Amino acid sequence: MNDQALLRYSRQIMLEPIEIEGQERLLESHALVIGAGGLGSPVALYLAAAGVGRLTLADDDAVELSNLQRQIAHGEADIGRNKAASACEAALALNPSCRITAVTERLDGEALAHAVQAADLVLDCTDRFASRYAINAACRAAGVPLISGAAIRFGGQLAVFDSRDPESPCYACLYPPGEPGEDEELRCAENGVVAPLVGVIGSFQALEAVKLLSGAGRAHRGLSTFDGLTGEWRHFRVPRDPACPVCGTA
């Protein structure tokens, strides 16, 4: 790091769990952010600001006026633009030294597998169960940690799935395929969401990413849920399911 970088990241470097070694690990890391909407916006902005050296932002959707209530990486001038491209520009404005790539097509199949394999960590900021299952399976196959967030109405949740830990469950252990119901259950367009909630959960995802990539502290375990109407957090232990179709051993 040169003097400018030392000054930029000084408030993180002075933290004992991070220090220079942890900041250097961040600068050498590559995070894949899938979804550049409500959750992906704070994730992308905070990871760029924190000095994650390489970010890949993936989203095939376009910015709409109704997105601007909560998707803070985009502005009115971005309406009609691809979300990944818009978020990429916003993140680069915060930290031009980051290498940020926008993937403007939907990641699935071989493209998803390749993108996951190229990353050190994946952040799932999507809003459909089908996407979440595909991302989870790709992360499990590649042995890449996955940070999953969700936010709807006044409630949010976060879980970290790290296949490098033999005791870690995967997303399918928490939500077995076939149980959640229709994809639309998670979509803000059908259910609504209070604006700052995605910032709370997205920031939580970014924090866990910084910890995992820098080596600071201990990764989150289990499932945390947040009730925005009461301000209460709850934490649940999530054991690995031996019969899980993705990571089970049965």
Side-chain angles (χ1 to χ4, degrees), residues 29-36 40 44-45 47-48 52-60 81-93 95-105 107 111 114-115 118-119:
S29 296
H30 176 198
L32 169 62
V33 182
I34 305 179
L45 297 178
L47 293 188
V52 174
R54 184 180 172 194
L55 293 175
T56 299
L57 311 181
D59 200 314
D60 66 338
R81 292 184 66 196
N82 172 266
K83 288 183 181 180
S86 174
C88 178
E89 185 176 292
L92 281 171
N95 193 348
S97 66
C98 288
R99 291 178 296 155
I100 308 178
T101 303
V103 177
T104 59
E105 297 84 23
L107 280 182
H114 178 75

Side-chain angles (χ1 to χ4, degrees), residues 32-35 38-44 46-47 121-126 132 146-151 157-160 197-212 233:
L32 169 62
V33 182
I34 305 179
L39 296 173
S41 288
V43 164
Y46 270 119
L47 293 188
L121 180 147
V122 175
L123 297 105
D124 183 350
C125 301
T126 63
R132 292 172 181 273
L146 169 64
I147 301 175
S148 176
Q157 64 181 43
L158 175 138
V160 176
L197 177 67
V198 292
V200 172
I201 303 301
S203 296
F204 196 173
Q205 287 182 272
L207 173 61
E208 290 301 314
V210 168
K211 287 164 53 184
L212 278 167
W233 287 94

Side-chain angles (χ1 to χ4, degrees), residues 2-88:
N2 58 26
D3 290 345
Q4 283 291 96
L6 288 170
L7 180 59
R8 175 184 284 270
Y9 306 119
S10 60
R11 298 304 187 271
Q12 283 182 173
I13 291 171
M14 68 174 58
L15 298 172
E16 187 175 346
I18 297 181
E19 297 184 328
I20 287 195
E21 293 79 8
Q23 188 63 51
E24 288 177 339
R25 283 192 286 268
L26 285 174
L27 291 167
E28 295 168 357
S29 296
H30 176 198
L32 169 62
V33 182
I34 305 179
L39 296 173
S41 288
V43 164
L45 297 178
Y46 270 119
L47 293 188
V52 174
R54 184 180 172 194
L55 293 175
T56 299
L57 311 181
D59 200 314
D60 66 338
D61 199 7
V63 179
E64 300 178 359
L65 180 61
S66 61
N67 300 148
L68 303 186
Q69 164 252 8
R70 64 199 177 280
Q71 299 183 15
I72 60 173
H74 317 300
E76 286 194 8
D78 299 309
I79 292 174
R81 292 184 66 196
N82 172 266
K83 288 183 181 180
S86 174
C88 178

Side-chain angles (χ1 to χ4, degrees), residues 112 124 126 128-140 146 148 170-181 183 186 244-246:
L112 174 61
D124 183 350
T126 63
R128 289 185 180 274
F129 278 109
S131 298
R132 292 172 181 273
Y133 287 129
I135 294 166
N136 173 70
C139 287
R140 199 75 196 185
L146 169 64
S148 176
C170 75
Y171 186 81
C173 293
L174 178 60
Y175 294 113
E179 289 190 6
D183 257 355
L186 279 181
C244 174
V246 176

